[in-house]
Amino acid sequence: MTIVVEKPIAENPVPFAESEPERPDSMHVRVEELRRLRAEVHAGPGARATEAQHARGKRTARERIELLLDEGSFTELEPLRRHRATGFGLEHRRPHTDGVITGWGTVDSRQVFVYAHDFRIFGGALGESHAAKIHKLMDLAEASGAPLVSLCDGAGARIQEGVTALAGYGGIFSRNARASGVIPQISVILGPCAGGAAYSPALTDFTFMVRGVAQMFITGPDVVRAVTGEQVSMDELGGADVHASVSGVAAFAYDDEANCLEDVRYLLSYLPSNNRQAPPALPCDDPADRRTDRLADLVPADPARGYDVREVVEEIVDHGEYFEVHPTWAGNIVCALSRIDGQVVGIVANQPIVGAGALDIKASEKAARFVSLCDAFNIPLVTMLDVPGFLPGVAQEHNGIIRHGAKLLYAYCNATVPRIQLILRKAYGGAYIVMDSRSVGADLSFAWPTNEVAVMGAEGAANVIFRRQIAAADEPAAMREQMVKEYRAELMHPYYAAERGLVDDVIEPGETRAVLARSLAMLRTKHQALPQRKHGITPL
């Protein structure tokens, strides 16, 4: 068979650039044009806008992303996107990015998706194209199984685009809800976040705020003044400290953006990338069987004396390191992420130095949310009890302590992760049950020799049970004291619950870390399935 070559191939072909002059539409020219365009997009709307942003004490969107992600890891998505609006003056202003930077990168070499509002462009206000970029990013984050971080600094919906802007928010909210419990979602408020924009942070797992620059509210001070007559500043209405200490909307508040974003990175080190993975374990040189004898001095035997439960946590966990969630809200309960023997754990502990550690509405909500989050992301729970009961009072009852307390009970009852209860001292009444007792599904329960588990304290119980005898006695005070001793000896001694199998063992405080480490290691392969259902009905 003969092969005919119509045109011979040169042995040493001449490169294109040498064979003919470069044409205006050549690839090289187009590449240079692209590079110039990229540089313009990266620079943003101009030096004056950047200076104005810095003058407000705020970084630009790209500067914030650089702080959050590993150096050089960011890949931008749709940097050339522009809005399609053609009226109300927008037809003459069509900047690239449309006011939001979207993309992905890494934090400690783990993939993370991020979007950041660019306040220099339309005040970061959300329009149709702006929202479409966020929608695409959220879909990619969910499909890839990686955390999503939103850096919020926007003026709400773009008025010039009308209902399409509102529909854009709806798309964000629906995706927040769909991704809930699937991937970690973190909101960082670094500027205004008003109106509908505030609902997305409320739907995410954690909200960070920076003092002085961040405000979050549904209606601003002008509307509040017009409707109610109340005079209030933006910070007083929805500043970082208000939401971190009063409303509980924000989990963390910081003085500057750098420390805030550094702690976002730190939080991610405790969370898995998605609900199908275990939390990231770390090598640990703090011995799992390390003695914790100092605990015997930290916690007084007298149930009426206070102490800081954070010191107990520090003594037990790896190198005393933990990350407290909502540290300034509902201080009568402590919720924290930490590690024991290198493995991530969620810790819920009553705080005796705040309200004697009693549970109230805020504490119940705080702990319920934390328990639910840990369960969603496969984080084992260690619950430390020193609780006198639920806080009594007309305000608590009228504001729904029954319903709110049931949220915590519901969260524990539905949690399928490993669960260990540790009774440090007293555990009275319904609060004992709600704080992850064996009867609601704790896998293991341990107690120190100072534990008192009962329906109520000995004094209150004696006054109810022996009231007739006390009233009829010649010396009521002496009779009451005798009855209290008898009740405590019969029903509140430290081994009563253990004798009935409601506590697995009474342990020395010095053994606590070792016992918890061994128990968590045993439970690591735990599998528990809930009944098949669409979803339960949370007592909201």
Side-chain angles (χ1 to χ4, degrees):
M1 181 177 179
T2 304
I3 300 176
V4 179
V5 179
E6 295 182 357
K7 185 176 181 180
I9 301 173
E11 293 184 4
N12 297 300
V14 179
F16 173 79
E18 296 179 12
S19 64
E20 58 182 284
E22 189 176 271
R23 296 195 302 269
D25 62 344
S26 73
M27 180 63 75
H28 296 286
V29 172
R30 297 296 176 88
V31 168
E32 286 304 314
E33 290 176 349
L34 174 60
R35 288 173 178 170
R36 285 194 296 271
L37 180 57
R38 281 181 171 175
E40 291 174 6
V41 171
H42 194 274
R48 289 181 60 187
T50 300
E51 289 170 5
Q53 181 78 347
H54 289 163
R56 299 183 188 99
K58 302 194 294 184
R59 288 174 167 82
T60 66
R62 295 186 187 277
E63 289 170 342
R64 290 162 172 168
I65 290 173
E66 288 174 3
L67 275 178
L68 173 67
L69 299 178
D70 297 338
E71 185 176 355
S73 70
F74 182 58
T75 298
E76 189 169 352
L77 184 69
E78 295 192 351
L80 304 181
R81 188 79 178 245
R82 303 164 93 175
H83 70 74
R84 300 187 298 178
T86 58
F88 302 100
L90 290 183
E91 66 273 16
H92 305 299
R93 298 179 60 200
R94 298 184 64 232
H96 291 105
T97 73
D98 201 36
V100 64
I101 312 300
T102 62
W104 68 91
T106 60
V107 171
D108 294 330
S109 301
R110 297 169 61 211
Q111 185 165 278
V112 172
F113 287 79
V114 58
Y115 69 85
H117 298 130
D118 192 340
F119 193 81
R120 301 172 301 169
I121 298 176
F122 302 133
L126 180 139
E128 179 187 18
S129 296
H130 181 123
K133 290 179 65 174
I134 296 174
H135 296 169
K136 179 180 286 188
L137 187 83
M138 296 178 77
D139 291 341
L140 285 172
E142 184 182 349
S144 302
L148 174 69
V149 179
S150 55
L151 306 180
C152 304
D153 185 7
R158 195 175 299 170
I159 299 171
Q160 297 92 329
E161 296 195 33
V163 71
T164 56
L166 298 179
Y169 273 127
I172 292 172
F173 302 157
S174 66
R175 286 168 172 82
N176 284 139
R178 190 177 68 200
S180 180
V182 178
I183 57 172
Q185 299 180 83
I186 299 172
S187 297
V188 188
I189 315 302
L190 300 166
C193 185
Y199 284 114
S200 180
L203 288 167
T204 59
D205 303 317
F206 298 95
T207 299
F208 291 70
M209 295 185 73
V210 174
R211 297 181 180 94
V213 299
Q215 298 91 30
M216 186 164 45
F217 38 68
I218 299 301
T219 54
D222 292 341
V223 176
V224 170
R225 182 170 56 253
V227 174
T228 70
E230 296 172 289
Q231 298 283 345
V232 64
S233 70
M234 291 179 68
D235 263 347
E236 291 169 338
L237 182 62
D241 287 321
V242 168
H243 286 307
S245 302
V246 180
S247 74
V249 171
F252 310 97
Y254 295 86
D255 291 328
D256 60 83
E257 293 186 12
N259 283 322
C260 175
L261 293 173
E262 181 61 33
D263 266 5
V264 174
R265 290 174 58 90
Y266 183 53
L267 172 61
L268 287 167
S269 73
Y270 285 108
L271 302 175
S273 292
N274 55 67
N275 64 341
R276 301 183 302 276
Q277 297 181 4
L282 294 179
C284 181
D285 57 3
D286 188 353
D289 59 353
R290 169 172 55 81
R291 295 280 302 180
T292 51
D293 293 309
R294 181 168 171 262
L295 293 174
D297 299 317
L298 285 176
V299 180
D302 181 357
R305 290 181 58 193
Y307 62 92
D308 191 343
V309 78
R310 293 185 182 94
E311 295 186 54
V312 175
V313 174
E314 288 174 7
E315 187 67 18
I316 292 171
V317 301
D318 294 353
H319 298 294
E321 187 174 322
Y322 64 92
F323 192 42
E324 187 173 356
V325 180
H326 286 292
T328 60
W329 183 63
N332 44 332
I333 200 159
V334 171
C335 299
L337 293 167
S338 190
R339 284 184 170 86
I340 295 178
D341 196 22
Q343 303 291 329
V344 177
V345 295
I347 294 172
V348 180
N350 304 113
Q351 176 58 290
I353 60 171
V354 179
L359 291 176
D360 60 5
I361 289 172
K362 290 182 178 181
S364 298
E365 287 198 343
K366 172 179 171 178
R369 181 178 177 85
F370 184 75
V371 168
S372 180
L373 181 136
C374 288
D375 185 52
F377 292 116
N378 308 312
I379 299 173
L381 287 159
V382 175
T383 304
M384 302 180 183
L385 276 72
D386 191 348
V387 59
F390 280 92
L391 182 67
V394 174
Q396 287 288 308
E397 295 293 348
H398 286 187
N399 286 308
I401 184 61
I402 296 172
R403 183 179 71 257
H404 293 288
K407 294 177 184 177
L408 180 53
L409 182 61
Y410 187 91
Y412 271 124
C413 288
N414 277 279
T416 60
V417 292
R419 293 155 51 188
I420 300 176
Q421 181 192 55
L422 176 65
I423 304 172
L424 307 181
R425 214 164 51 171
K426 58 188 177 295
Y428 297 154
Y432 156 71
I433 303 171
V434 168
M435 290 289 289
D436 205 19
S437 63
R438 285 291 303 277
S439 58
V440 300
D443 298 295
L444 294 169
S445 177
F446 300 102
W448 288 355
T450 46
N451 83 85
E452 292 183 353
V453 182
V455 175
M456 62 176 67
E459 290 77 7
N463 286 335
V464 172
I465 298 171
F466 305 113
R467 61 182 181 277
R468 289 192 177 89
Q469 294 93 315
I470 293 171
D474 294 334
E475 297 183 20
M479 175 63 73
R480 181 181 295 105
E481 183 178 352
Q482 178 184 341
M483 294 297 100
V484 167
K485 288 181 179 179
E486 288 185 10
Y487 183 86
R488 180 173 283 117
E490 290 294 326
L491 297 177
M492 293 184 63
H493 63 79
Y495 307 104
Y496 184 83
E499 290 172 359
R500 284 149 183 81
L502 298 175
V503 167
D504 290 288
D505 198 7
V506 178
I507 63 173
E508 298 177 25
E511 301 172 325
T512 303
R513 175 176 165 84
V515 168
L516 291 178
R518 287 196 301 268
S519 301
L520 289 167
M522 179 273 291
L523 289 167
R524 203 163 295 147
T525 55
K526 174 187 174 181
H527 175 75
Q528 179 181 342
L530 294 173
Q532 185 174 355
R533 58 183 174 179
K534 188 173 182 180
H535 57 76
I537 311 301
T538 307
L540 297 174

